[in-house]
C-alpha cells in the first residue's frame, strides 16, 4: 500500500493539506488587515475603514475556485479575502487605506476596500451599492458576443465573471435587472450573495420578503443556485466550485447564497451594539471561521498547534511590515488631480479629429436621421467591436422575420437597417430598462467593445443616471486610468414637437456638470454626422444629444460627407457673421436665433450667431473672440432659464470678458416651468423667434 506524506495528505473537497493551510493563512491575513486598519483609523493615520470580517471563509473559497487574471471580478467592499486569494498583497491594500500614490486600486483616489487591480482583472469598485451587477452582466455578455463574432484577443474560452454583494443590496432594482438579462442570455456570471443578516442596521427579513434571496430568485430559468454556510470553508469551496463549473460550461448564470457573520459593525461609522443584543453577537462569534477553521485543521491532523501559532506570528510580522511600508509612501501630488478625468492618450478636441474642411460629398442632401444612420454604418464596417443596442433599435427581435417585414430600427428610424447588415449579435434590443442599457454597456466597454447605445427619450434617462454619473463618468478617474468605458450614449431630447412634459425635456446641464463625460449637441445633419463619428472614435464616454425637432427639418439637410468626416469636440461654428451682438446657442434654438438675426438686420442690427455644437468641452476661444468684437452677448438655450447650461457660459463671459462688454450678459431660455402640450402653451414656454428679435433690439440700446 502506498503511503502519503503529510504534505500530500488529501483533505475534504479534493484539497490538499497545503491548500487547506494556505486557505487559513488567507483568512487570517484578511482579518489581521481589518484589525490593523481599525487601529490605524483610531490613530488618525487613515480616514475610513469597512471590514470583511466574518466573510473570509467563503471569499477564500471563491478565490480558490476562480482564476486570477483569467476570470473577471466585480467585487464589493467586503471582498478583502477574495482579493488576497487572487494575489493582491497586504501592502497594496494598505496603500489604498493611507491614500498612497502607488495604490493599484485607485492611486489614492478612493476610500479603503474599493478594490481594483488591472493585472488581476479586478474591476474598479465604487461606493454605490448594486451598480456592479449590470456591469458584471455586460462583462459576461462581452464573452458571449466575442465568441459569436470570433473575437479572441482579450478573451478566454471558458472565462467566467464573478460579482458579489451583501444581502441588503439584493433589494436594489438593478440586481433584478441583471438576473433577468443574465438568465435570458445564459451568461457565465457567478453571483455571490454574502448574507450576514444585516444591511447596516436593517435585518434581512425587513429587506427581503421571506428572509431568503435564494428562494426568491429560484424561478429564474437556467439560474443554478447553491445555498451554503459561508463560515464553513469546505462547504463553501464545494458550492463555489459547482457554481463556477456550471458557468464555465456555459449552462447559464449561478448564484451562491452564503450565510456569513458580521462580527464587527458595518463600518467604523456604525455601532452595532445599538441594535444587536449580546446573545445574537455571541452566536455569531461561535461561528467565526477565523477561530473555528484552525481548530478543525488541528483536529483533523492537517496542522499542529505549533504550526498554527507560527502562521499567526508570520502574519503579524507581514502585516506590520506592510503597514510600515504603506505609512512611508507619499500621497499623490496636487498636480495629478486632472489626470484620468478624460483619456490622456486620445484627444477628441485635436486636429486628428478635424476633417471638417475636406468633406467628400456625394448624393443628394438628406436629413439628420439619414446622416446619423450613415455614420453608424460607416463605423460598424470599420470596427467589428462596435455594438448598437437599446429599446427598439433592432429591425426585429425575432430574426427569422428579417426579409418578411420592413423592420423597426428605432422609433425615429435612426438605426434602421443596421441589424440587417450587421446581424443580431451586433445590433439588438434591450429590455425596457434604462439602467440595464448603460450598466451593460459599461461592462462591455471594459472588455474592449465599443457600445453605441440608445436611450429612446431623454425624458426617461433618469433610471440610468446612477450608472451614468457615478459609474460611467468616474470609471477612468477613480481607477487612476487603469479602467475606462468609452460608451456613446445617444438620446433624443427637446421640445417644439407638442410633446408635453414627458417628451420635451432638455437638461443638458445635468451631464455637462459631470467631469468625465463629453456632451455634444448637433443642430444640422452634417454636424450630426461628423460629431457622431468623433464620439465613436474617441476614448471617452459621450452623451450625444439628438434633437427630435431637428431630425427631418429641410433647412438643416446635407449631402453625405464621406466615411472619414469628423468634427472635433470643442469647436463652435459661426452660423452668421455680425458686428453688433453675439448670440451663443445650440440645438433647436440655433435656427430661431438665425431667423431672428435676419429680421433684426432689416432694422440695422448685425447679429453674429455661434452654434456651440459641443457643450462639454465648449469653444471658449471662439465665443470670447466674438464677444470682444461685438461687445454685447446673449446666451440662449432651450432649457429652463434658471440654473440652465447657459448660466455657466454667461458667468464665464462676465468673468473673463468684462472689459470688452458694453452691456450686461443676457440669457434667453424657457420659462421656469414644465413644457405644456397645447400649442399655445408650448409656444409661450419655449424660446421663439420673437424672443430673440426683442432681445437683440433691447441689448443694442445699452
Amino acid at each position: 500500500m502506498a503511503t502519503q506524506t503529510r504534505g500530500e495528505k488529501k483533505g475534504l473537497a479534493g484539497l490538499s493539506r497545503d491548500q487547506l493551510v494556505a486557505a487559513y493563512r488567507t483568512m487570517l491575513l484578511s482579518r489581521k488587515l481589518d484589525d490593523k486598519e481599525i487601529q490605524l483609523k483610531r490613530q488618525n493615520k487613515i480616514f475610513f475603514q469597512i471590514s470583511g470580517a466574518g466573510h473570509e471563509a467563503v471569499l477564500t473559497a471563491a478565490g480558490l475556485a476562480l482564476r486570477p487574471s483569467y476570470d473577471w471580478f466585480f467585487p464589493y467592499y467586503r471582498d478583502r479575502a477574495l482579493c488576497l486569494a487572487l494575489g493582491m498583497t497586504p501592502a497594496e491594500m494598505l496603500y489604498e487605506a493611507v491614500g498612497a500614490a502607488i495604490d493599484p486600486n485607485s492611486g489614492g483616489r478612493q476610500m479603503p476596500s474599493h478594490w481594483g487591480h488591472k493585472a488581476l482583472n479586478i474591476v474598479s469598485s465604487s461606493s454605490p451599492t448594486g451598480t456592479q451587477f449590470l456591469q458584471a452582466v455586460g462583462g459576461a455578455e462581452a464573452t458571449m458576443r466575442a465568441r459569436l463574432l470570433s473575437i479572441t484577443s482579450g478573451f478566454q474560452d471558458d472565462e467566467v465573471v464573478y460579482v458579489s454583494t451583501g444581502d441588503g443590496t439584493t433589494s436594489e432594482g438593478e440586481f433584478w435587472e441583471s438576473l433577468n438579462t443574465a438568465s435570458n442570455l445564459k451568461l457565465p456570471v457567478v453571483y455571490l450573495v454574502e448574507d450576514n443578516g444585516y444591511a447596516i442596521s436593517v435585518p434581512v427579513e425587513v429587506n427581503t420578503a421571506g428572509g431568503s434571496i435564494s428562494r426568491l430568485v429560484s424561478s429564474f430559468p437556467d439560474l443554478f443556485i447553491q445555498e451554503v454556510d459561508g463560515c464553513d470553508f469546505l462547504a463553501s469551496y464545494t458550492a463555489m466550485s459547482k457554481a463556477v463549473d456550471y458557468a464555465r460550461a456555459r449552462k447559464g448564470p449561478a448564484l451562491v447564497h452564503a450565510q456569513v457573520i458580521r462580527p464587527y459593525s458595518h463600518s467604523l461609522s456604525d455601532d452595532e451594539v445599538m441594535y444587536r443584543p449580546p446573545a445574537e453577537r455571541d452566536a455569531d462569534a461561535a461561528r467565526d471561521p477565523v477561530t473555528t477553521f484552525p481548530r478543525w485543521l488541528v483536529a483533523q491532523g492537517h496542522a499542529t498547534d505549533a504550526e498554527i501559532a507560527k502562521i499567526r506570528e508570520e502574519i503579524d510580522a507581514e502585516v506590520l511590515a506592510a503597514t510600515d511600508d504603506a505609512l512611508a509612501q507619499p500621497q499623490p501630488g496636487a498636480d495629478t488631480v486632472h489626470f484620468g478625468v478624460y483619456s490622456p492618450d486620445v484627444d477628441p478636441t485635436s486636429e486628428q479629429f478635424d476633417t471638417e474642411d475636406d468633406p467628400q460629398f456625394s448624393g443628394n442632401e438628406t436629413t439628420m436621421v439619414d446622416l446619423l444612420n450613415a455614420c453608424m454604418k460607416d463605423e460598424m464596417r470599420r470596427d467589428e467591436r462596435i455594438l448598437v443596442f437599446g429599446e427598439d433599435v433592432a429591425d426585429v427581435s425575432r430574426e427569422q422575420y428579417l426579409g418578411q417585414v420592413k423592420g423597426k430600427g428605432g422609433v425615429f428610424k435612426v438605426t434602421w437597417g443596421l441589424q440587417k447588415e450587421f446581424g443580431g449579435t451586433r445590433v439588438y434590443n434591450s429590455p425596457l430598462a434604462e439602467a440595464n442599457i448603460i450598466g451593460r454597456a459599461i461592462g462591455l466597454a471594459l472588455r474592449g467593445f465599443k457600445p453605441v447605445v440608445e436611450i429612446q427619450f431623454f425624458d426617461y434617462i433618469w433610471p440610468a443616471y446612477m450608472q451614468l454619473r457615478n459609474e460611467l463618468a468616474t470609471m477612468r478617474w477613480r481607477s487612476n486610468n487603469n479602467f475606462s468605458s468609452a460608451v456613446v450614449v445617444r438620446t433624443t431630447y427637446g421640445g417644439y414637437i407638442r410633446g408635453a412634459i414627458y417628451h420635451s425635456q432638455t437638461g443638458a446641464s445635468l451631464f455637462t456638470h459631470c467631469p468625465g463625460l463629453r456632451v455634444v449637441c448637433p443642430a444640422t445633419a452634417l454636424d450630426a454626422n461628423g460629431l457622431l463619428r468623433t464620439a465613436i472614435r474617441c476614448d471617452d464616454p459621450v452623451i450625444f444629444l439628438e434633437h427630435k425637432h431637428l431630425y427631418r427639418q429641410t433647412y438643416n439637410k446635407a449631402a453625405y460627407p464621406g466615411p472619414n468626416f469628423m468634427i472635433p469636440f470643442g469647436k463652435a461654428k459661426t452660423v452668421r457673421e455680425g458686428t453688433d451682438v453675439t448670440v451663443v446657442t445650440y440645438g433647436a434654438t440655433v435656427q430661431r436665433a438665425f431667423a431672428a438675426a435676419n429680421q433684426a438686420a432689416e432694422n440695422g442690427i448685425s447679429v453674429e450667431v455661434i452654434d456651440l455644437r459641443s457643450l462639454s468641452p465648449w469653444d471658449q476661444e471662439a465665443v470670447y473672440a466674438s464677444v470682444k468684437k461685438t461687445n454685447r452677448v446673449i446666451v440662449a438655450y432651450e432649457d429652463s432659464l434658471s440654473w440652465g447650461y447657459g448660466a455657466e457660459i454667461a458667468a464665464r463671459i462676465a468673468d473673463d470678458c468684462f472689459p470688452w462688454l458694453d452691456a450686461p450678459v443676457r440669457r434667453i431660455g424657457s420659462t421656469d416651468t414644465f413644457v405644456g402640450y397645447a400649442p399655445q402653451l408650448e409656444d409661450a414656454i419655449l424660446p421663439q423667434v420673437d424672443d430673440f428679435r426683442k432681445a437683440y433690439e433691447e441689448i443694442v440700446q445699452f
Side-chain angles (χ1 to χ4, degrees):
M1 177 183 292
T3 60
Q4 288 182 315
T5 66
R6 197 143 170 245
E8 297 170 336
K9 183 176 179 180
K10 292 291 181 181
L12 299 178
L15 295 173
S16 69
R17 179 259 183 192
D18 290 345
Q19 288 174 307
L20 294 170
V21 172
Y24 171 62
R25 291 184 66 93
T26 299
M27 292 159 60
L28 182 62
L29 180 58
S30 179
R31 182 67 60 87
K32 290 291 187 178
L33 284 167
D34 276 330
D35 292 341
K36 177 54 70 175
E37 286 185 354
I38 291 169
Q39 180 188 56
L40 292 171
K41 172 66 172 66
R42 288 171 177 161
Q43 295 171 345
N44 290 320
K45 293 179 179 178
I46 68 171
F47 316 106
F48 181 77
Q49 208 282 329
I50 188 164
S51 81
H55 296 225
E56 295 95 346
V58 70
L59 289 168
T60 301
L64 272 177
L66 292 154
R67 303 174 190 170
S69 306
Y70 187 99
D71 297 322
W72 284 77
F73 303 89
F74 292 78
Y76 90 122
Y77 49 79
R78 301 214 190 272
D79 282 16
R80 185 189 299 278
L82 169 75
C83 294
L84 288 169
L86 294 175
M88 195 179 294
T89 68
E92 289 174 329
M93 291 185 170
L94 291 172
Y95 293 157
E96 185 175 44
V98 302
I102 64 170
D103 160 37
N105 298 275
S106 72
R109 294 177 169 189
Q110 294 216 82
M111 295 190 297
S113 300
H114 288 56
W115 314 115
H117 201 291
K118 185 176 183 180
L120 298 173
N121 292 350
I122 302 173
V123 175
S124 174
S125 308
S126 65
S127 292
T129 57
T131 51
Q132 70 272 28
F133 299 126
L134 288 169
Q135 295 168 28
V137 165
E141 183 180 349
T143 71
M144 178 196 80
R145 299 199 184 276
R147 178 177 53 81
L148 293 173
L149 296 169
S150 300
I151 296 172
T152 57
S153 178
F155 295 93
Q156 308 292 342
D157 288 340
D158 63 345
E159 66 184 37
V160 301
V161 174
Y162 163 98
V163 62
S164 61
T165 178
D167 54 289
T169 301
T170 63
S171 299
E172 294 280 1
E174 290 186 17
F175 171 74
W176 298 89
E177 288 184 27
S178 75
L179 277 175
N180 182 47
T181 296
S183 294
N184 205 20
L185 300 180
K186 296 182 68 172
L187 297 176
V189 187
V190 177
Y191 292 78
L192 174 59
V193 179
E194 301 164 41
D195 187 349
N196 61 32
Y198 279 91
I200 306 184
S201 66
V202 181
V204 64
E205 69 272 12
V206 175
N207 278 291
T208 306
S212 172
I213 190 61
S214 52
R215 287 199 294 272
L216 283 185
V217 302
S218 60
S219 62
F220 278 93
D222 300 308
L223 177 64
F224 179 73
I225 298 172
Q226 293 278 282
E227 192 166 0
V228 68
D229 177 358
C231 291
D232 183 330
F233 169 75
L234 292 172
S236 295
Y237 177 73
T238 298
M240 286 300 306
S241 295
K242 289 180 179 178
V244 170
D245 289 347
Y246 182 86
R248 283 206 201 285
R250 299 300 185 255
K251 296 178 180 178
L255 183 143
V256 176
H257 180 192
Q259 304 287 343
V260 296
I261 62 169
R262 197 189 73 187
Y264 300 165
S265 296
H266 168 76
S267 71
L268 290 189
S269 301
D270 172 52
D271 184 0
E272 68 173 14
V273 174
M274 305 295 290
Y275 52 87
R276 298 187 70 191
E280 184 175 289
R281 295 164 60 223
D282 290 344
D284 271 7
R287 296 178 56 217
D288 192 334
V290 171
T291 57
T292 60
F293 189 58
R295 288 202 298 263
W296 179 87
L297 287 174
V298 172
Q300 295 297 313
H302 296 294
T304 65
D305 287 329
E307 288 170 329
I308 296 297
K310 183 179 179 183
I311 290 171
R312 290 172 180 160
E313 291 176 4
E314 291 171 348
I315 285 178
D316 284 342
E318 185 177 359
V319 170
L320 181 60
T323 303
D324 291 342
D325 179 6
L327 290 172
Q329 295 297 329
Q331 294 181 13
D335 60 341
T336 67
V337 295
H338 294 289
F339 175 72
V341 175
Y342 301 104
S343 170
D345 304 312
V346 181
D347 181 4
T349 71
S350 67
E351 291 185 4
Q352 173 189 349
F353 288 89
D354 193 349
T355 60
E356 186 176 16
D357 293 336
D358 187 29
Q360 305 296 309
F361 287 122
S362 63
N364 297 323
E365 289 191 342
T366 189
T367 64
M368 182 182 288
V369 165
D370 291 338
L371 288 191
L372 286 167
N373 181 276
C375 176
M376 282 187 278
K377 285 181 177 176
D378 286 343
E379 292 302 289
M380 293 187 77
R381 291 166 188 151
R382 180 185 62 84
D383 184 354
E384 66 177 345
R385 292 188 179 233
I386 294 174
L387 305 175
V388 173
F389 63 96
E391 299 164 16
D392 296 299
V393 302
D395 292 307
V396 294
S397 286
R398 295 169 176 163
E399 289 200 74
Q400 66 268 29
Y401 294 164
L402 283 173
Q404 301 178 40
V405 294
K406 185 177 180 180
K408 180 74 174 178
V411 296
F412 298 99
K413 303 295 183 184
V414 180
T415 56
W416 186 76
L418 297 186
Q419 182 192 13
K420 290 177 184 176
E421 178 170 348
F422 301 104
T425 299
R426 295 182 65 193
V427 183
Y428 49 95
N429 287 331
S430 71
L432 202 160
E434 288 76 14
N436 180 286
I437 296 168
I438 303 303
R440 287 165 63 189
I442 292 171
L444 283 158
L446 284 164
R447 302 299 313 278
F449 280 98
K450 183 76 178 193
V452 181
V453 301
E454 179 179 303
I455 299 295
Q456 198 167 87
F457 292 97
F458 183 93
D459 314 72
Y460 309 134
I461 203 169
W462 312 116
Y465 197 70
M466 174 74 86
Q467 288 288 344
L468 289 164
R469 171 60 181 85
N470 279 337
E471 300 297 326
L472 182 64
T474 67
M475 180 66 75
R476 186 188 295 276
W477 191 86
R478 76 176 193 239
S479 69
N480 203 24
N481 198 43
N482 283 318
F483 294 98
S484 64
S485 294
V487 177
V488 178
V489 182
R490 295 180 42 253
T491 186
T492 63
Y493 86 105
Y496 301 106
I497 60 166
R498 314 308 189 205
I501 302 174
Y502 299 111
H503 290 81
S504 302
Q505 294 178 34
T506 51
S509 60
L510 291 166
F511 294 97
T512 56
H513 187 69
C514 300
L517 297 180
R518 308 285 193 179
V519 184
V520 295
C521 183
T524 69
L526 185 64
D527 288 351
N529 182 279
L531 288 167
L532 181 58
R533 191 169 282 106
T534 298
I536 292 171
R537 295 189 189 184
C538 88
D539 199 29
D540 297 315
V542 179
I543 306 296
F544 197 89
L545 300 172
E546 300 169 12
H547 203 296
K548 302 183 290 292
H549 174 72
L550 300 177
Y551 267 156
R552 291 182 171 84
Q553 295 295 333
T554 57
Y555 61 75
N556 70 357
K557 284 184 174 183
Y560 170 65
N564 198 43
F565 179 76
M566 289 180 286
I567 298 171
F569 294 165
K571 181 184 178 184
K573 178 168 65 176
T574 301
V575 177
R576 188 184 191 280
E577 298 278 354
T579 57
D580 296 329
V581 183
T582 296
V583 59
V584 181
T585 188
Y586 62 92
T589 48
V590 172
Q591 180 65 14
R592 284 153 182 78
F594 181 80
N598 288 338
Q599 293 179 10
E602 297 174 3
N603 296 322
I605 301 172
S606 177
V607 179
E608 183 152 294
V609 180
I610 294 180
D611 177 7
L612 286 175
R613 304 193 291 189
S614 172
L615 308 186
S616 180
W618 63 284
D619 193 344
Q620 180 175 293
E621 182 179 351
V623 170
Y624 286 7
S626 180
V627 171
K628 291 173 183 179
K629 177 174 71 170
T630 67
N631 310 120
R632 293 174 177 83
V633 63
I634 297 170
V635 183
Y637 46 99
E638 188 181 331
D639 205 356
S640 299
L641 183 69
S642 299
W643 323 112
Y645 172 78
E648 171 64 18
I649 308 298
R652 293 284 190 95
I653 293 170
D655 284 348
D656 299 337
C657 298
F658 182 78
W660 290 273
L661 292 174
D662 291 341
V665 180
R666 179 162 181 171
R667 288 175 293 146
I668 296 174
S670 297
T671 57
D672 290 340
T673 66
F674 307 106
V675 179
Y677 169 66
Q680 187 167 308
L681 276 180
E682 186 189 69
D683 289 348
I685 290 164
L686 299 177
Q688 305 297 335
V689 172
D690 279 350
D691 297 318
F692 282 90
R693 181 181 54 78
K694 290 175 184 177
Y696 300 159
E697 293 171 352
E698 291 171 0
I699 200 169
V700 296
Q701 299 304 313
F702 277 89

